[in-house]
Amino acid sequence: MMLCVMELKDASVKFEAIEDDYDDELNLSMFNIQFEHGYFKIPKFNVDDKTETFFRNLISYKQHSLEDDKHKYFSDYTFFMDLLISTKEDVNKLCHDEVPNNWLGDDKEVALMFNILGKGMFISEQFYYAEQCSKVKAHCKRWSNRGVASLKRDYFSNIWVTVATISVAFLLLLSMTHTVIALVTIIIPPLSRH
């Protein structure tokens, strides 16, 4: 359905942590994940020793609830996080962007937790994050997004590589200009000779 964090990064997707702003009485839900203009905006959350048990209990309750809920938010959330997080590198990138507060300390444990929570889960046809997944797919299909990310990763990831690339481009341009001027002076005789 969707690429993981590191694959999304290769398509120039950025991640931004959002927090509740209690001064403005804005109560953001942990489920309020949005994708806009190449940015995934994900509410901050804590991962500690109790997180897996907390999610398991809520998922179990919601999956077996007799209520006719159209959306199983906790199930959809953990399934969505499992899509985003495949490896410890995905967790590391999200932690770098301050999305999760990893109190477990080990990125691999967090990845494993979400991978286990997402397995064998029943997801309804009204997947809560379907719209966000569609937006991400459309973003990733644009060649320009992958191209720009590839250039940044391959040529502009290191300041010295960037300086060398710009220097080579400048010298190439200077050499081409010199060649064109030399050819013009050879092909077109000076006007003063006539």
Side-chain angles (χ1 to χ4, degrees):
M1 289 176 60
M2 195 176 67
L3 302 171
C4 68
V5 169
M6 295 308 286
E7 292 169 329
L8 290 171
K9 181 184 169 202
D10 287 342
S12 72
V13 172
K14 295 177 179 50
F15 295 87
E16 180 180 331
I18 52 177
E19 305 185 50
D20 282 333
D21 187 357
Y22 296 108
D23 294 339
D24 293 340
E25 296 181 16
L26 177 66
N27 186 13
L28 290 175
S29 167
M30 67 185 281
F31 308 115
N32 190 18
I33 298 172
Q34 298 295 318
F35 183 78
E36 299 168 353
H37 310 294
Y39 280 86
F40 249 125
K41 297 180 180 185
I42 304 174
K44 286 183 115 171
F45 62 94
N46 297 326
V47 179
D48 58 25
D49 293 330
K50 300 173 194 166
T51 305
E52 184 174 356
T53 306
F54 172 74
F55 277 119
R56 282 189 184 281
N57 287 332
L58 287 171
I59 291 166
S60 178
Y61 172 74
K62 284 299 193 179
Q63 291 277 328
H64 296 68
S65 174
L66 295 176
E67 298 173 23
D68 186 22
D69 288 341
K70 288 186 178 180
H71 298 292
K72 307 282 187 186
Y73 297 111
F74 286 99
S75 302
D76 288 357
Y77 179 81
T78 52
F79 183 75
F80 183 77
M81 293 307 286
D82 178 35
L83 293 174
L84 276 180
I85 298 172
S86 291
T87 65
K88 66 180 182 178
E89 288 78 15
D90 296 324
V91 175
N92 185 275
K93 170 67 177 135
L94 287 176
C95 287
H96 181 267
D97 294 329
E98 300 179 352
V99 174
N101 291 321
N102 182 1
W103 293 347
L104 291 177
D106 186 5
D107 294 341
K108 188 175 181 179
E109 278 188 52
V110 176
L112 188 60
M113 179 191 73
F114 278 109
N115 296 157
I116 289 171
L117 285 171
K119 277 189 180 175
M121 193 174 296
F122 171 74
I123 300 299
S124 70
E125 291 178 11
Q126 294 114 358
F127 181 56
Y128 187 67
Y129 299 104
E131 181 182 347
Q132 306 312 320
C133 290
S134 295
K135 288 180 182 179
V136 171
K137 280 183 182 180
H139 176 85
C140 291
K141 281 185 180 178
R142 286 187 219 121
W143 67 269
S144 60
N145 293 327
R146 285 203 180 273
V148 167
S150 176
L151 281 173
K152 285 181 183 176
R153 182 186 65 241
D154 297 340
Y155 297 103
F156 301 110
S157 61
N158 181 325
I159 186 68
W160 296 113
V161 173
T162 304
V163 169
T165 304
I166 292 171
S167 298
V168 167
F170 177 73
L171 289 173
L172 184 62
L173 181 66
L174 193 61
S175 176
M176 286 175 51
T177 305
H178 185 268
T179 303
V180 168
I181 291 172
L183 286 173
V184 167
T185 57
I186 291 171
I187 295 172
I188 302 174
L191 296 174
S192 61
R193 291 184 186 171
H194 291 310

